[in-house]
Amino acid sequence: MPSLSQSHRPHRFSEVTGQQHVTETLRREVMTGLLAHAYVFSGPRGVGKTTTARIFAQALNCQTPKEGEPCGTCPACLAFAEGRLMDVIELDAATHTGVDTIREAIVEHVRFAPTFSKAKVYILDEAHMLSTSSWNALLKTLEEPPAYAYFILATTEWHKIP
């Protein structure tokens, strides 16, 4: 059973409170298509880093975004809402700190094109917890990603990210 915060998590940029400068920037990036391949979401615990990352991932894969917001009705949005969109990979770096996990979950799989949607999005929650060897394995992929791959690093300690 999902927790209270998970069941009432925002599903659109407009529903996120207190982060309008961030959500408006991301919404406009989706609208214009001018996107970076890696993002760092940093801030104290509970400000919505992972929630915003999930909305952004959904918007990137939405087949009919409306003014940068995910529509919520296309097949990609429905698959995302049901947790069966395989092209959005969320990894808790606090529990998966090892280099083998990063190689298996990201480095080896990023070279395969998305199976269902437009983009392959990797959300690394607590990214500062990755080991040095994990970062070394991941940096090459972050520097030269395939055109369809996007990385969102959510962290409370941005200074620990190389």
Side-chain angles (χ1 to χ4, degrees), residues 18-162:
Q19 299 294 330
Q20 185 177 2
H21 60 291
V22 175
T23 57
E24 185 64 18
T25 301
L26 295 174
R27 189 184 67 76
R28 287 183 187 271
E29 285 190 19
V30 172
M31 253 175 37
T32 61
L34 299 173
L35 301 161
H37 282 288
Y39 295 84
V40 177
F41 290 1
S42 177
R45 187 170 180 224
V47 296
K49 298 177 296 292
T50 305
T51 297
T52 304
R54 291 175 55 82
I55 296 168
F56 189 43
Q58 183 179 1
L60 287 173
N61 283 311
C62 181
Q63 295 167 353
T64 56
K66 296 176 181 150
E67 295 186 12
E69 294 271 7
C71 71
T73 58
C74 69
C77 285
L78 294 175
F80 181 85
E82 295 170 4
R84 50 183 184 84
L85 187 60
M86 295 180 359
D87 297 324
V88 176
I89 298 95
E90 189 172 345
L91 186 67
D92 180 17
T95 56
H96 299 93
T97 61
V99 67
D100 291 336
T101 304
I102 295 304
R103 279 193 185 122
E104 290 172 13
I106 299 175
V107 177
E108 294 297 323
H109 294 284
V110 75
R111 59 190 167 137
F112 299 111
T115 57
F116 178 73
S117 48
K118 300 188 275 189
K120 215 170 202 183
V121 183
Y122 293 89
I123 301 171
L124 286 173
D125 201 12
E126 299 299 331
H128 66 276
M129 298 292 285
L130 289 177
S131 67
T132 303
S133 55
S134 295
W135 275 112
N136 290 337
L138 183 59
L139 281 176
K140 179 73 173 167
T141 304
L142 284 174
E143 291 169 353
E144 299 174 12
Y148 52 78
Y150 297 91
F151 297 90
I152 304 170
L153 311 174
T155 182
T156 55
E157 300 182 38
W158 62 270
H159 57 279
K160 291 186 178 179
I161 294 180

